[in-house]
Amino acid sequence: MNLGKTGSLTEDTAQEIAIGALSFLSSDPEQLGRFLSLAGIGPQEIRDAAAEPGFLAGVLEFLMQDEQLLLAFTESAGIRPTMIAAAHLKLAGGVDYFAHH
């Protein structure tokens, strides 16, 4: 992961983590279905939704709500679980994606 000189997570790295998480969810139709239901979108709308501010943060928020799923993703991605919270904070900017949809 690209941590800057200060050790802080960059927005690009946070987006990479979230996109990886979305890909991970996509490999499990049941989990993807749960996420899409919470997000209020259909599978054909993922690309458009991904361009919305907060959507990628919403993906990470979804993972953080299920510890087993979170740990499965972080293990497969080779990152620490705390990176998910850091990436979420970077991408959310104080916005709760699910509260707006």
Side-chain angles (χ1 to χ4, degrees), residues 48-58 91-92 95 97 101:
D48 290 340
E52 289 183 33
F55 177 79
L56 291 176
L91 295 174
V95 175
Y97 181 77
H101 288 85

Side-chain angles (χ1 to χ4, degrees), residues 4-101:
K5 291 179 183 175
T6 62
S8 63
L9 191 68
T10 67
E11 187 161 341
D12 286 346
T13 301
Q15 287 178 353
E16 288 174 28
I17 291 170
I19 290 167
L22 183 57
S23 295
F24 179 79
L25 287 177
S26 297
S27 69
D28 183 336
E30 184 178 328
Q31 293 296 345
L32 182 62
R34 281 183 49 220
F35 171 70
L36 294 176
S37 176
L38 282 171
I41 62 173
Q44 66 280 7
E45 299 169 282
I46 290 175
R47 284 191 196 277
D48 290 340
E52 289 183 33
F55 177 79
L56 291 176
V59 171
L60 299 177
E61 190 173 321
F62 178 77
L63 279 182
M64 291 189 301
Q65 294 174 2
D66 183 331
E67 185 178 7
Q68 236 179 347
L69 187 62
L70 172 71
L71 295 175
F73 168 66
T74 56
E75 185 176 319
S76 75
I79 59 175
R80 296 183 320 275
T82 55
M83 294 292 287
I84 302 303
H88 176 265
L89 185 61
K90 187 66 146 179
L91 295 174
V95 175
D96 181 349
Y97 181 77
F98 293 117
H100 293 63
H101 288 85

